[in-house]
Amino acid sequence: MTLQAIEAAAARMRGHVRVTPLLNAPLLDRLAGRRIFVKAECLQVTGSFKARGGWAAVSALPAGARGVLAMSSGNHAQGVAWAAAAHGVPAVIVMPSDAPAVKVANTRAYGAEVVLYDRVRDDRDALAAGIAAERGLALVPPYDHPEVIAGQGSVGLEIAVQAAEAGIAGADVLVCCGGGGLSAGVAMALDARAPGLRVRTVEPAGFDDMARSLVSGQREGNAAATGSVCDAILTPMPGALTLPILHRLAGPGMVVSDDEALRAVALAFRYLRIVAEPGGAVALAAALFRDDLPETVICTVSGGNADPEIFAGALARFGG
Amino acid sequence: MTLQAIEAAAARMRGHVRVTPLLNAPLLDRLAGRRIFVKAECLQVTGSFKARGGWAAVSALPAGARGVLAMSSGNHAQGVAWAAAAHGVPAVIVMPSDAPAVKVANTRAYGAEVVLYDRVRDDRDALAAGIAAERGLALVPPYDHPEVIAGQGSVGLEIAVQAAEAGIAGADVLVCCGGGGLSAGVAMALDARAPGLRVRTVEPAGFDDMARSLVSGQREGNAAATGSVCDAILTPMPGALTLPILHRLAGPGMVVSDDEALRAVALAFRYLRIVAEPGGAVALAAALFRDDLPETVICTVSGGNADPEIFAGALARFGG
């Protein structure tokens, strides 16, 4: 993995993937007691940063691939399905049966074939590998893949430019973390382009495999596979490619509760007028509710494909 | 009113007011059967385009003014309150007593003094004029004011640039319309900078004073003062300054129902991941649900200061 790979992926996605805004709100800053800038990847074309990695991977398919196969709880699914459709390439998406209905429906609407599996009982990787081999599809894993990490890293290139425009020389950059693809890509881009900005991963309580792995230096797993409202970022363990990058470049991992994520969803509604899904709001939650942070914090709101009932529930409990 | 006034206002607000993105979504286009581009002013710094007119007016205050006074159902209130605070100028905001609580609370949070009035019983203009005279405050009306129209017109300058970048040479530009400040400013900017783009106003059913005034050429009023969920754009009649501009430059006015506006709120949640308030979603509703439109439509989502209960209700009825 090199900065050049990130730059090449960014060049391939130009005109297709959106440069998302870096938002802020005076009243949110007052509430938090610090300056918070939000990289609004929920405004990305498929509703999450996953459109970037999807485009990067599909646009660099190995010769002879008859299509792509991806495994995803929903956002990577939509990113790959959209990118494949735009390239005229068939896509099969392997999704957990408890993925939010809206994510399954959108993935199908982009034209992909969806194969559902049970998150606890089935071996997702084996299932996916079997279908890929049988049909001659190139596997596009959700995070542990050089082109995917390079694609997500384009978020970091944009943050470097936008932070400089906003006069931000030093800040923590909090990134919503599942397997670490976005975090690793952003960390590499910032290391090269904005060395005053340090990445910190943010995960839901009970699914803090990355935070523990950053301490131990080993790929630690989680006790459970389900049980958080942050469906987008419930991964079994860090990636083999992503952990070494983050172990070298990232600060200590952070953890927030489901209720903090939902409260951040409600505050993003009120003060930023963006739709964040819970898993996409954990970094904002850390920016709002943790003390061990500098005066200026940048955070990703990494996805906005929210279940309407869960979103309305967050507003009823915390919003307004 | 000249293009130069709009350009001057845009220059004064640079670095303070956000250049908002022009969003689109493949799945929304498929649903609508046309290409829809959304100028997302809900992402503006105070949650609506009103930050522009507020900044334009406050930054051009007459010498000797001891502060500003504005009348508003909530978005102009926040725009002026924010701009006044940023300029270190006192602000009094006259708001209807039925304005959404979140808008009143935010206006106060920006540091303004809020004076409430009854939308049916009280004479807002007389009340405001009295306070302004007594305290030496400059009146900043919500739409019928050259600097306010010039400020809102900066939306049109941005649309002209962004449409050209997206390769759009011809389109209808649907604008959410209360008194016509945004519509008139955008119409003037586009007339000069993007003559293939034509403004059309969109209003809630029962409050279509602009649509009727565009037909008659006179300032027509509405039968009622309240009774639509689109609180942001319930105005008694078009402005004396705005109507002539729109009579000259705009196409026929459009009208949508409250339910269509709420359905647009839900679809903006799902496909664009932005928070639209009902009055800020009427143009998107027209883009989605009307037939007499070209293949490519640009619409403003002009505000996102949504009441959480109304928003959740829209999701429950139409969302997901």
Short mmCIF file of all heavy atoms in Angstrom, two decimals, chain A residues 18 23-24 26-27 30 42-43 45-47 82 102 105-106 109-110 269-275 304-306 308 311-312 315 319-320, chain B residues 18 23-24 26-27 30 42-43 45-47 82 102 105-106 109-110 269-270 272-275 304-306 308 311-312 315 319-320:
data_model
loop_
_atom_site.label_atom_id
_atom_site.label_comp_id
_atom_site.label_asym_id
_atom_site.label_seq_id
_atom_site.Cartn_x
_atom_site.Cartn_y
_atom_site.Cartn_z
N ARG A 18 -18.36 11.51 -5.39
CA ARG A 18 -18.52 12.90 -4.99
C ARG A 18 -17.42 13.34 -4.02
O ARG A 18 -17.07 12.59 -3.11
CB ARG A 18 -19.89 13.03 -4.31
CG ARG A 18 -20.30 14.42 -3.95
CD ARG A 18 -21.77 14.42 -3.53
NE ARG A 18 -22.64 14.21 -4.67
CZ ARG A 18 -23.75 13.47 -4.66
NH1 ARG A 18 -24.12 12.85 -3.57
NH2 ARG A 18 -24.47 13.34 -5.75
N LEU A 23 -18.44 19.65 6.94
CA LEU A 23 -19.47 20.50 7.55
C LEU A 23 -19.10 20.88 8.98
O LEU A 23 -18.37 20.17 9.66
CB LEU A 23 -20.81 19.76 7.57
CG LEU A 23 -21.36 19.28 6.22
CD1 LEU A 23 -22.62 18.44 6.42
CD2 LEU A 23 -21.64 20.47 5.31
N ASN A 24 -19.65 21.99 9.43
CA ASN A 24 -19.55 22.33 10.85
C ASN A 24 -20.77 23.17 11.23
O ASN A 24 -21.51 23.60 10.35
CB ASN A 24 -18.26 23.09 11.15
CG ASN A 24 -18.26 24.47 10.53
OD1 ASN A 24 -18.54 24.62 9.35
ND2 ASN A 24 -17.94 25.47 11.32
N PRO A 26 -21.98 26.11 14.31
CA PRO A 26 -21.60 26.85 15.53
C PRO A 26 -22.29 26.30 16.79
O PRO A 26 -21.67 26.20 17.85
CB PRO A 26 -22.06 28.29 15.23
CG PRO A 26 -22.41 28.35 13.78
CD PRO A 26 -22.48 26.98 13.23
N LEU A 27 -23.57 25.94 16.67
CA LEU A 27 -24.29 25.49 17.87
C LEU A 27 -23.82 24.11 18.32
O LEU A 27 -23.86 23.79 19.51
CB LEU A 27 -25.80 25.48 17.62
CG LEU A 27 -26.42 26.85 17.26
CD1 LEU A 27 -27.94 26.74 17.18
CD2 LEU A 27 -26.04 27.94 18.26
N ARG A 30 -20.62 24.65 20.26
CA ARG A 30 -20.86 25.14 21.62
C ARG A 30 -21.26 23.99 22.55
O ARG A 30 -20.80 23.88 23.69
CB ARG A 30 -21.97 26.20 21.59
CG ARG A 30 -22.19 26.81 22.97
CD ARG A 30 -23.36 27.75 23.00
NE ARG A 30 -23.25 28.75 21.94
CZ ARG A 30 -24.18 29.67 21.72
NH1 ARG A 30 -25.26 29.71 22.47
NH2 ARG A 30 -24.03 30.55 20.76
N CYS A 42 -21.98 10.42 4.33
CA CYS A 42 -23.38 10.04 4.13
C CYS A 42 -23.93 10.70 2.87
O CYS A 42 -24.93 10.22 2.30
CB CYS A 42 -24.23 10.40 5.35
SG CYS A 42 -24.06 12.13 5.85
N LEU A 43 -23.30 11.76 2.42
CA LEU A 43 -23.73 12.45 1.19
C LEU A 43 -23.05 11.86 -0.05
O LEU A 43 -23.27 12.35 -1.15
CB LEU A 43 -23.44 13.95 1.29
CG LEU A 43 -24.09 14.66 2.49
CD1 LEU A 43 -23.66 16.11 2.55
CD2 LEU A 43 -25.61 14.56 2.43
N VAL A 45 -22.39 9.20 -3.07
CA VAL A 45 -23.42 8.86 -4.05
C VAL A 45 -24.28 7.67 -3.63
O VAL A 45 -25.49 7.67 -3.86
CB VAL A 45 -22.79 8.69 -5.46
CG1 VAL A 45 -21.79 7.58 -5.49
CG2 VAL A 45 -23.85 8.50 -6.51
N THR A 46 -23.72 6.66 -2.99
CA THR A 46 -24.55 5.55 -2.51
C THR A 46 -24.86 5.66 -1.02
O THR A 46 -25.34 4.71 -0.41
CB THR A 46 -23.85 4.19 -2.75
OG1 THR A 46 -22.61 4.19 -2.01
CG2 THR A 46 -23.57 3.97 -4.22
N GLY A 47 -24.60 6.82 -0.44
CA GLY A 47 -24.93 7.03 0.97
C GLY A 47 -23.85 6.61 1.93
O GLY A 47 -24.07 6.63 3.15
N TRP A 82 -23.36 -0.46 -7.15
CA TRP A 82 -23.43 0.76 -7.95
C TRP A 82 -22.26 0.86 -8.92
O TRP A 82 -22.43 1.13 -10.12
CB TRP A 82 -23.47 1.98 -7.03
CG TRP A 82 -23.18 3.28 -7.72
CD1 TRP A 82 -24.02 3.99 -8.52
CD2 TRP A 82 -21.95 4.00 -7.69
NE1 TRP A 82 -23.38 5.11 -8.98
CE2 TRP A 82 -22.12 5.14 -8.50
CE3 TRP A 82 -20.72 3.79 -7.06
CZ2 TRP A 82 -21.09 6.08 -8.68
CZ3 TRP A 82 -19.70 4.72 -7.25
CH2 TRP A 82 -19.90 5.85 -8.05
N VAL A 102 -33.65 -1.65 4.05
CA VAL A 102 -33.39 -0.59 3.08
C VAL A 102 -32.08 -0.84 2.33
O VAL A 102 -31.96 -0.54 1.14
CB VAL A 102 -33.39 0.79 3.78
CG1 VAL A 102 -32.29 0.89 4.83
CG2 VAL A 102 -33.24 1.91 2.79
N ALA A 105 -32.72 -3.70 -0.18
CA ALA A 105 -33.53 -3.20 -1.30
C ALA A 105 -32.72 -2.31 -2.22
O ALA A 105 -32.80 -2.43 -3.45
CB ALA A 105 -34.75 -2.44 -0.75
N ASN A 106 -31.91 -1.43 -1.65
CA ASN A 106 -31.10 -0.54 -2.50
C ASN A 106 -30.07 -1.32 -3.30
O ASN A 106 -29.82 -1.01 -4.46
CB ASN A 106 -30.40 0.52 -1.64
CG ASN A 106 -31.34 1.62 -1.20
OD1 ASN A 106 -32.52 1.63 -1.56
ND2 ASN A 106 -30.83 2.53 -0.40
N ALA A 109 -31.74 -2.67 -6.10
CA ALA A 109 -32.15 -1.62 -7.04
C ALA A 109 -30.99 -1.18 -7.94
O ALA A 109 -31.21 -0.75 -9.07
CB ALA A 109 -32.70 -0.40 -6.28
N TYR A 110 -29.76 -1.31 -7.45
CA TYR A 110 -28.60 -0.99 -8.30
C TYR A 110 -28.35 -2.10 -9.32
O TYR A 110 -27.45 -1.99 -10.15
CB TYR A 110 -27.33 -0.79 -7.46
CG TYR A 110 -27.32 0.49 -6.66
CD1 TYR A 110 -27.24 0.48 -5.28
CD2 TYR A 110 -27.38 1.73 -7.30
CE1 TYR A 110 -27.22 1.66 -4.54
CE2 TYR A 110 -27.37 2.91 -6.57
CZ TYR A 110 -27.29 2.87 -5.19
OH TYR A 110 -27.27 4.03 -4.47
N PHE A 269 -28.92 15.28 13.01
CA PHE A 269 -30.20 15.70 12.44
C PHE A 269 -30.44 17.18 12.74
O PHE A 269 -30.75 17.97 11.86
CB PHE A 269 -31.32 14.82 13.02
CG PHE A 269 -32.70 15.37 12.84
CD1 PHE A 269 -33.44 15.06 11.71
CD2 PHE A 269 -33.30 16.17 13.82
CE1 PHE A 269 -34.73 15.56 11.54
CE2 PHE A 269 -34.58 16.67 13.65
CZ PHE A 269 -35.29 16.36 12.51
N ARG A 270 -30.29 17.53 14.00
CA ARG A 270 -30.67 18.88 14.41
C ARG A 270 -29.68 19.96 13.98
O ARG A 270 -30.09 21.03 13.53
CB ARG A 270 -30.82 18.94 15.94
CG ARG A 270 -31.02 20.37 16.42
CD ARG A 270 -31.66 20.49 17.76
NE ARG A 270 -31.79 21.90 18.13
CZ ARG A 270 -32.27 22.34 19.26
NH1 ARG A 270 -32.72 21.48 20.14
NH2 ARG A 270 -32.35 23.63 19.52
N TYR A 271 -28.40 19.69 14.12
CA TYR A 271 -27.42 20.77 13.91
C TYR A 271 -26.71 20.72 12.57
O TYR A 271 -26.18 21.72 12.13
CB TYR A 271 -26.40 20.77 15.05
CG TYR A 271 -27.01 21.17 16.37
CD1 TYR A 271 -27.16 20.26 17.41
CD2 TYR A 271 -27.48 22.47 16.55
CE1 TYR A 271 -27.73 20.63 18.62
CE2 TYR A 271 -28.05 22.85 17.75
CZ TYR A 271 -28.18 21.93 18.78
OH TYR A 271 -28.76 22.31 19.95
N LEU A 272 -26.66 19.55 11.95
CA LEU A 272 -25.97 19.44 10.65
C LEU A 272 -26.94 19.13 9.52
O LEU A 272 -26.58 19.23 8.36
CB LEU A 272 -24.89 18.35 10.72
CG LEU A 272 -23.77 18.62 11.72
CD1 LEU A 272 -22.99 17.34 11.99
CD2 LEU A 272 -22.84 19.72 11.21
N ARG A 273 -28.14 18.73 9.85
CA ARG A 273 -29.19 18.39 8.86
C ARG A 273 -28.74 17.33 7.89
O ARG A 273 -29.04 17.37 6.69
CB ARG A 273 -29.67 19.64 8.11
CG ARG A 273 -30.33 20.67 9.00
CD ARG A 273 -29.30 21.67 9.48
NE ARG A 273 -29.83 22.62 10.45
CZ ARG A 273 -29.06 23.52 11.08
NH1 ARG A 273 -27.76 23.58 10.84
NH2 ARG A 273 -29.60 24.32 11.95
N ILE A 274 -27.99 16.37 8.41
CA ILE A 274 -27.63 15.20 7.62
C ILE A 274 -28.22 13.96 8.28
O ILE A 274 -28.48 13.94 9.48
CB ILE A 274 -26.10 15.02 7.49
CG1 ILE A 274 -25.42 14.99 8.86
CG2 ILE A 274 -25.51 16.10 6.60
CD1 ILE A 274 -23.92 14.71 8.80
N VAL A 275 -28.43 12.93 7.45
CA VAL A 275 -28.92 11.65 7.95
C VAL A 275 -27.71 10.75 8.19
O VAL A 275 -27.01 10.37 7.25
CB VAL A 275 -29.87 10.99 6.94
CG1 VAL A 275 -30.28 9.60 7.42
CG2 VAL A 275 -31.10 11.88 6.73
N GLY A 304 -25.09 7.01 5.75
CA GLY A 304 -26.40 7.57 6.06
C GLY A 304 -27.56 6.68 5.63
O GLY A 304 -28.69 7.15 5.50
N ASN A 305 -27.28 5.39 5.43
CA ASN A 305 -28.36 4.49 5.02
C ASN A 305 -29.08 3.97 6.25
O ASN A 305 -28.98 2.80 6.62
CB ASN A 305 -27.79 3.36 4.15
CG ASN A 305 -27.29 3.90 2.82
OD1 ASN A 305 -28.00 4.62 2.13
ND2 ASN A 305 -26.05 3.59 2.47
N ALA A 306 -29.81 4.87 6.88
CA ALA A 306 -30.42 4.59 8.18
C ALA A 306 -31.77 3.91 8.02
O ALA A 306 -32.55 4.24 7.12
CB ALA A 306 -30.58 5.88 8.97
N PRO A 308 -35.46 3.68 8.85
CA PRO A 308 -36.34 4.78 9.27
C PRO A 308 -36.87 4.63 10.70
O PRO A 308 -36.98 5.62 11.42
CB PRO A 308 -37.48 4.76 8.26
CG PRO A 308 -37.12 3.79 7.20
CD PRO A 308 -35.90 3.03 7.60
N PHE A 311 -34.06 5.44 13.10
CA PHE A 311 -33.80 6.88 13.05
C PHE A 311 -34.87 7.64 13.83
O PHE A 311 -34.56 8.51 14.66
CB PHE A 311 -33.76 7.34 11.59
CG PHE A 311 -33.19 8.72 11.40
CD1 PHE A 311 -31.83 8.91 11.25
CD2 PHE A 311 -34.02 9.83 11.37
CE1 PHE A 311 -31.29 10.18 11.07
CE2 PHE A 311 -33.50 11.11 11.21
CZ PHE A 311 -32.13 11.27 11.05
N ALA A 312 -36.14 7.30 13.56
CA ALA A 312 -37.24 7.98 14.27
C ALA A 312 -37.14 7.72 15.77
O ALA A 312 -37.43 8.60 16.59
CB ALA A 312 -38.58 7.52 13.71
N LEU A 315 -34.64 10.08 17.24
CA LEU A 315 -35.20 11.43 17.39
C LEU A 315 -36.14 11.49 18.60
O LEU A 315 -36.14 12.46 19.36
CB LEU A 315 -35.96 11.85 16.14
CG LEU A 315 -35.17 11.97 14.84
CD1 LEU A 315 -36.03 12.63 13.77
CD2 LEU A 315 -33.88 12.75 15.05
N GLY A 319 -33.81 13.60 20.29
CA GLY A 319 -33.77 14.64 19.26
C GLY A 319 -34.58 15.86 19.58
O GLY A 319 -35.53 15.82 20.35
N GLY A 320 -34.21 16.96 18.94
CA GLY A 320 -35.03 18.17 19.00
C GLY A 320 -34.53 19.15 20.01
O GLY A 320 -33.50 19.01 20.56
N ARG B 18 -21.50 28.88 3.38
CA ARG B 18 -21.00 27.67 2.72
C ARG B 18 -21.45 27.59 1.26
O ARG B 18 -22.61 27.90 0.95
CB ARG B 18 -21.54 26.47 3.50
CG ARG B 18 -21.05 25.13 3.06
CD ARG B 18 -21.47 24.06 4.07
NE ARG B 18 -20.73 24.20 5.32
CZ ARG B 18 -21.24 24.05 6.54
NH1 ARG B 18 -22.51 23.76 6.69
NH2 ARG B 18 -20.49 24.19 7.60
N LEU B 23 -26.52 17.86 -5.12
CA LEU B 23 -26.57 16.41 -4.91
C LEU B 23 -27.46 15.73 -5.94
O LEU B 23 -28.38 16.34 -6.48
CB LEU B 23 -27.10 16.10 -3.50
CG LEU B 23 -26.34 16.70 -2.33
CD1 LEU B 23 -27.08 16.42 -1.01
CD2 LEU B 23 -24.91 16.16 -2.27
N ASN B 24 -27.20 14.47 -6.18
CA ASN B 24 -28.12 13.65 -6.97
C ASN B 24 -27.99 12.21 -6.52
O ASN B 24 -27.09 11.87 -5.75
CB ASN B 24 -27.82 13.78 -8.47
CG ASN B 24 -26.49 13.16 -8.84
OD1 ASN B 24 -25.48 13.43 -8.19
ND2 ASN B 24 -26.49 12.32 -9.86
N PRO B 26 -28.78 8.13 -8.10
CA PRO B 26 -29.29 7.32 -9.21
C PRO B 26 -30.67 6.71 -8.92
O PRO B 26 -31.53 6.68 -9.80
CB PRO B 26 -28.23 6.22 -9.37
CG PRO B 26 -27.05 6.64 -8.56
CD PRO B 26 -27.44 7.75 -7.67
N LEU B 27 -30.87 6.24 -7.69
CA LEU B 27 -32.14 5.57 -7.39
C LEU B 27 -33.29 6.57 -7.32
O LEU B 27 -34.44 6.23 -7.63
CB LEU B 27 -32.04 4.78 -6.08
CG LEU B 27 -30.98 3.67 -6.06
CD1 LEU B 27 -31.07 2.87 -4.76
CD2 LEU B 27 -31.09 2.74 -7.26
N ARG B 30 -34.32 7.25 -10.90
CA ARG B 30 -35.13 6.17 -11.46
C ARG B 30 -36.59 6.28 -11.00
O ARG B 30 -37.53 6.11 -11.78
CB ARG B 30 -34.55 4.82 -11.04
CG ARG B 30 -35.29 3.66 -11.68
CD ARG B 30 -34.84 2.33 -11.19
NE ARG B 30 -33.38 2.19 -11.28
CZ ARG B 30 -32.72 1.13 -10.86
NH1 ARG B 30 -33.39 0.11 -10.32
NH2 ARG B 30 -31.42 1.07 -10.96
N CYS B 42 -30.17 23.06 2.91
CA CYS B 42 -30.32 22.56 4.28
C CYS B 42 -28.95 22.37 4.93
O CYS B 42 -28.85 22.35 6.16
CB CYS B 42 -31.12 21.27 4.32
SG CYS B 42 -30.48 20.00 3.21
N LEU B 43 -27.91 22.23 4.11
CA LEU B 43 -26.55 22.08 4.64
C LEU B 43 -25.86 23.43 4.85
O LEU B 43 -24.69 23.49 5.24
CB LEU B 43 -25.72 21.21 3.69
CG LEU B 43 -26.29 19.82 3.42
CD1 LEU B 43 -25.45 19.08 2.40
CD2 LEU B 43 -26.39 19.00 4.71
N VAL B 45 -24.99 26.96 6.71
CA VAL B 45 -24.48 27.01 8.09
C VAL B 45 -25.58 27.11 9.15
O VAL B 45 -25.49 26.50 10.20
CB VAL B 45 -23.42 28.13 8.23
CG1 VAL B 45 -24.00 29.49 7.95
CG2 VAL B 45 -22.76 28.11 9.59
N THR B 46 -26.65 27.82 8.90
CA THR B 46 -27.74 27.86 9.87
C THR B 46 -28.88 26.91 9.48
O THR B 46 -29.98 26.99 10.05
CB THR B 46 -28.32 29.29 10.02
OG1 THR B 46 -28.85 29.69 8.73
CG2 THR B 46 -27.26 30.27 10.47
N GLY B 47 -28.66 26.06 8.53
CA GLY B 47 -29.67 25.08 8.14
C GLY B 47 -30.62 25.55 7.07
O GLY B 47 -31.59 24.85 6.76
N TRP B 82 -27.56 34.65 13.47
CA TRP B 82 -26.18 34.15 13.30
C TRP B 82 -25.29 35.23 12.69
O TRP B 82 -24.18 35.48 13.18
CB TRP B 82 -26.21 32.90 12.41
CG TRP B 82 -24.86 32.53 11.87
CD1 TRP B 82 -23.85 31.91 12.55
CD2 TRP B 82 -24.38 32.78 10.55
NE1 TRP B 82 -22.76 31.74 11.72
CE2 TRP B 82 -23.05 32.26 10.48
CE3 TRP B 82 -24.92 33.37 9.42
CZ2 TRP B 82 -22.28 32.35 9.33
CZ3 TRP B 82 -24.16 33.44 8.26
CH2 TRP B 82 -22.85 32.93 8.23
N VAL B 102 -37.85 24.25 17.78
CA VAL B 102 -36.42 24.14 17.49
C VAL B 102 -35.90 25.42 16.84
O VAL B 102 -34.76 25.84 17.08
CB VAL B 102 -36.15 22.91 16.59
CG1 VAL B 102 -36.86 23.03 15.24
CG2 VAL B 102 -34.67 22.71 16.35
N ALA B 105 -35.63 28.08 19.64
CA ALA B 105 -34.51 27.76 20.51
C ALA B 105 -33.18 28.07 19.82
O ALA B 105 -32.27 28.66 20.44
CB ALA B 105 -34.56 26.29 20.92
N ASN B 106 -33.05 27.70 18.56
CA ASN B 106 -31.80 27.98 17.85
C ASN B 106 -31.56 29.48 17.69
O ASN B 106 -30.44 29.95 17.81
CB ASN B 106 -31.81 27.31 16.47
CG ASN B 106 -31.56 25.81 16.56
OD1 ASN B 106 -31.35 25.26 17.63
ND2 ASN B 106 -31.61 25.15 15.42
N ALA B 109 -30.23 30.65 20.77
CA ALA B 109 -28.87 30.12 20.98
C ALA B 109 -27.83 30.93 20.22
O ALA B 109 -26.68 31.03 20.65
CB ALA B 109 -28.80 28.65 20.57
N TYR B 110 -28.22 31.53 19.08
CA TYR B 110 -27.28 32.39 18.36
C TYR B 110 -27.10 33.74 19.07
O TYR B 110 -26.30 34.56 18.62
CB TYR B 110 -27.76 32.63 16.92
CG TYR B 110 -27.63 31.43 16.01
CD1 TYR B 110 -28.74 30.87 15.40
CD2 TYR B 110 -26.38 30.85 15.75
CE1 TYR B 110 -28.63 29.76 14.57
CE2 TYR B 110 -26.26 29.75 14.92
CZ TYR B 110 -27.38 29.21 14.33
OH TYR B 110 -27.26 28.12 13.51
N PHE B 269 -34.63 11.80 2.82
CA PHE B 269 -34.00 11.01 3.88
C PHE B 269 -33.39 9.74 3.30
O PHE B 269 -32.23 9.42 3.54
CB PHE B 269 -35.05 10.66 4.94
CG PHE B 269 -34.67 9.55 5.88
CD1 PHE B 269 -33.97 9.82 7.05
CD2 PHE B 269 -35.02 8.23 5.61
CE1 PHE B 269 -33.62 8.80 7.92
CE2 PHE B 269 -34.67 7.20 6.48
CZ PHE B 269 -33.97 7.48 7.64
N ARG B 270 -34.18 9.04 2.51
CA ARG B 270 -33.73 7.72 2.04
C ARG B 270 -32.67 7.79 0.95
O ARG B 270 -31.71 7.02 0.97
CB ARG B 270 -34.92 6.91 1.54
CG ARG B 270 -34.46 5.62 0.88
CD ARG B 270 -35.51 4.56 0.79
NE ARG B 270 -34.97 3.38 0.13
CZ ARG B 270 -35.63 2.28 -0.13
NH1 ARG B 270 -36.89 2.20 0.26
NH2 ARG B 270 -35.08 1.26 -0.73
N LEU B 272 -31.09 10.78 -0.47
CA LEU B 272 -30.08 11.84 -0.47
C LEU B 272 -29.41 11.97 0.90
O LEU B 272 -28.40 12.65 1.02
CB LEU B 272 -30.71 13.17 -0.87
CG LEU B 272 -31.29 13.21 -2.28
CD1 LEU B 272 -32.22 14.40 -2.44
CD2 LEU B 272 -30.17 13.28 -3.31
N ARG B 273 -29.99 11.39 1.92
CA ARG B 273 -29.47 11.41 3.30
C ARG B 273 -29.31 12.84 3.80
O ARG B 273 -28.34 13.19 4.49
CB ARG B 273 -28.15 10.65 3.43
CG ARG B 273 -28.28 9.17 3.13
CD ARG B 273 -28.03 8.92 1.67
NE ARG B 273 -28.26 7.53 1.29
CZ ARG B 273 -28.17 7.11 0.02
NH1 ARG B 273 -27.85 7.93 -0.95
NH2 ARG B 273 -28.42 5.86 -0.25
N ILE B 274 -30.25 13.69 3.40
CA ILE B 274 -30.29 15.04 3.96
C ILE B 274 -31.59 15.22 4.73
O ILE B 274 -32.58 14.53 4.47
CB ILE B 274 -30.20 16.13 2.87
CG1 ILE B 274 -31.29 15.94 1.80
CG2 ILE B 274 -28.81 16.15 2.25
CD1 ILE B 274 -31.32 17.06 0.76
N VAL B 275 -31.56 16.14 5.69
CA VAL B 275 -32.75 16.48 6.46
C VAL B 275 -33.41 17.69 5.80
O VAL B 275 -32.83 18.78 5.78
CB VAL B 275 -32.40 16.80 7.92
CG1 VAL B 275 -33.63 17.26 8.68
CG2 VAL B 275 -31.76 15.58 8.59
N GLY B 304 -33.52 22.84 6.38
CA GLY B 304 -33.53 21.55 7.05
C GLY B 304 -33.77 21.64 8.54
O GLY B 304 -33.46 20.71 9.28
N ASN B 305 -34.36 22.76 8.97
CA ASN B 305 -34.64 22.90 10.41
C ASN B 305 -35.99 22.26 10.72
O ASN B 305 -36.97 22.93 11.03
CB ASN B 305 -34.59 24.37 10.79
CG ASN B 305 -33.18 24.91 10.70
OD1 ASN B 305 -32.24 24.32 11.24
ND2 ASN B 305 -33.02 26.01 9.98
N ALA B 306 -36.01 20.94 10.65
CA ALA B 306 -37.25 20.18 10.76
C ALA B 306 -37.61 19.90 12.21
O ALA B 306 -36.74 19.62 13.03
CB ALA B 306 -37.13 18.88 9.99
N PRO B 308 -38.61 17.47 14.92
CA PRO B 308 -38.35 16.02 14.96
C PRO B 308 -39.62 15.17 14.88
O PRO B 308 -39.62 14.11 14.25
CB PRO B 308 -37.63 15.81 16.28
CG PRO B 308 -37.33 17.14 16.84
CD PRO B 308 -38.05 18.20 16.08
N PHE B 311 -40.90 15.23 11.32
CA PHE B 311 -39.98 14.45 10.48
C PHE B 311 -40.21 12.95 10.70
O PHE B 311 -40.34 12.19 9.72
CB PHE B 311 -38.54 14.82 10.82
CG PHE B 311 -37.53 14.32 9.83
CD1 PHE B 311 -37.21 15.07 8.70
CD2 PHE B 311 -36.88 13.10 10.01
CE1 PHE B 311 -36.28 14.62 7.78
CE2 PHE B 311 -35.95 12.64 9.09
CZ PHE B 311 -35.65 13.40 7.97
N ALA B 312 -40.28 12.54 11.97
CA ALA B 312 -40.51 11.12 12.25
C ALA B 312 -41.85 10.67 11.70
O ALA B 312 -42.00 9.54 11.21
CB ALA B 312 -40.43 10.88 13.76
N LEU B 315 -41.47 9.93 8.05
CA LEU B 315 -40.83 8.64 7.83
C LEU B 315 -41.81 7.49 8.08
O LEU B 315 -41.83 6.51 7.34
CB LEU B 315 -39.61 8.47 8.75
CG LEU B 315 -38.45 9.44 8.58
CD1 LEU B 315 -37.25 8.98 9.39
CD2 LEU B 315 -38.07 9.60 7.12
N GLY B 319 -41.74 6.73 4.60
CA GLY B 319 -40.29 6.54 4.51
C GLY B 319 -39.85 5.11 4.50
O GLY B 319 -40.50 4.24 5.03
N GLY B 320 -38.70 4.89 3.91
CA GLY B 320 -38.02 3.61 4.05
C GLY B 320 -38.33 2.64 2.93
O GLY B 320 -38.90 2.98 1.96
#
